[in-house]
Amino acid sequence: MKSKLLLLVFALFILGCSNSVEFTEEYKNETSGKYLYHPDEIMTVSYDGNKIFFNFKGGKIEPVVLNYNEFFIPDMYKKFRFVEHPKTKVMYLSVISKDDETKISYDYKKLSDDYKTPSQYLKEGNYEKALAGYLEIKAQDSTSSYIEEWEFNRIGYRHLRDKDYQKAIDVFTLNTKLHPNSDNVYDSLADAYLQSGDSLQAYNNYRKALERNPNNFRAEKYLKTYLSEENK
């Protein structure tokens, strides 16, 4: 409670000391746009007249303007500045270090206006581009929360409950590409094929599930049932 009170007092102090600056149109054009906040999250910088806003995680925040190119966001307890990379000439949103404010870092890269995250492609049903994006995240961090197997399963089963069989199959297929050693992802894909009426593909994927986990009794049961029906 005490730390929150101190933070509020500090934020109000900074707000009271905030400089009133006029941003040029050139500066607005150079700095407004999308920035890659996390591998599957975008922060958008926008202006309304002379006011600057940071939009991310579904919220629109007006920072405290400390000077022409220095901003404080109380919710994050961080200061930011815009910097251009000397070699690539790409704009970045840089976190100002508490220990050394002169240090330049390139934290959040400015993106093209048409850039989309893997999750945005996933929502649009562009599974090829979604997979490419998720595989890139996996290459950087195989334990990233953005490629959690259970989350894709949740999405796939939501489609399955809605009887959107092809969408469920596409999402579960994507999951097998991200987690090829998991029996669960093949089990789910087999379930989707089975409910869609494709018993052969259900068999093929239950077989893959059983190969990865010999104790997957649901897969084993289906394989036995399928083979017994085929041999009649």
Side-chain angles (χ1 to χ4, degrees):
M1 185 68 181
K2 185 177 180 181
S3 60
K4 289 183 179 180
L5 181 60
L6 289 173
L7 176 60
L8 178 60
V9 172
F10 182 65
L12 291 174
F13 172 76
I14 289 180
L15 183 61
C17 298
S18 177
N19 296 319
S20 178
V21 299
E22 292 288 332
F23 299 112
T24 65
E25 290 303 314
E26 181 182 9
Y27 182 86
K28 293 178 184 179
N29 291 332
E30 288 178 347
T31 58
S32 62
K34 300 177 179 178
Y35 291 79
L36 191 60
Y37 184 64
H38 283 309
D40 198 32
E41 292 183 63
I42 289 175
M43 175 187 287
T44 304
V45 175
S46 61
Y47 292 85
D48 183 1
N50 197 51
K51 292 184 177 181
I52 183 172
F53 294 94
F54 291 78
N55 307 266
F56 68 106
K57 293 185 180 297
K60 186 175 182 179
I61 300 174
E62 182 180 2
V64 179
V65 179
L66 302 176
N67 58 49
Y68 194 78
N69 191 34
E70 198 168 297
F71 315 92
F72 176 73
I73 299 181
D75 291 14
M76 301 172 68
Y77 201 61
K78 287 183 179 180
K79 291 194 291 186
F80 297 90
R81 64 164 67 98
F82 294 103
V83 296
E84 184 182 77
H85 196 284
K87 292 183 178 179
T88 64
K89 303 304 179 183
V90 173
M91 188 67 70
Y92 284 80
L93 189 57
S94 172
V95 178
I96 300 175
S97 172
K98 296 178 183 178
D99 300 322
D100 183 3
E101 294 195 355
T102 64
K103 182 180 179 181
I104 301 297
S105 61
Y106 303 95
D107 301 292
Y108 308 123
K109 181 181 179 181
K110 188 177 182 183
L111 308 166
S112 62
D113 291 338
D114 60 353
Y115 180 91
K116 294 179 181 178
T117 62
S119 61
Q120 287 176 317
Y121 281 124
L122 185 66
K123 289 178 181 178
E124 292 178 356
N126 192 331
Y127 300 104
E128 184 177 346
K129 288 189 175 181
L131 176 60
Y134 285 125
L135 285 174
E136 187 175 337
I137 291 174
K138 183 178 180 180
Q140 297 172 5
D141 179 9
S142 61
T143 63
S144 172
S145 60
Y146 296 107
I147 56 169
E148 174 56 59
E149 155 185 351
W150 300 104
E151 176 60 19
F152 293 114
N153 249 29
R154 184 189 66 80
I155 296 171
Y157 274 108
R158 186 185 69 216
H159 290 314
L160 210 52
R161 286 193 298 272
D162 294 338
K163 300 188 186 304
D164 288 330
Y165 299 120
Q166 190 55 54
K167 286 183 180 180
I169 289 169
D170 288 335
V171 172
F172 289 138
T173 299
L174 180 148
N175 213 8
T176 65
K177 303 296 184 183
L178 291 171
H179 306 281
N181 298 320
S182 167
D183 70 300
N184 179 66
V185 297
Y186 286 101
D187 186 289
S188 298
L189 180 56
D191 193 13
Y193 275 120
L194 185 60
Q195 292 192 44
S196 72
D198 192 335
S199 58
L200 177 58
Q201 285 298 330
Y203 170 83
N204 289 337
N205 284 282
Y206 274 130
R207 180 172 51 80
K208 292 177 182 178
L210 193 62
E211 288 172 355
R212 286 157 178 78
N213 178 12
N215 295 319
N216 189 320
F217 300 114
R218 187 166 78 147
E220 183 180 27
K221 180 180 178 180
Y222 180 80
L223 295 181
K224 288 180 179 179
T225 302
Y226 181 88
L227 291 174
S228 65
E229 291 292 325
E230 287 292 304
N231 292 329
K232 284 183 179 180

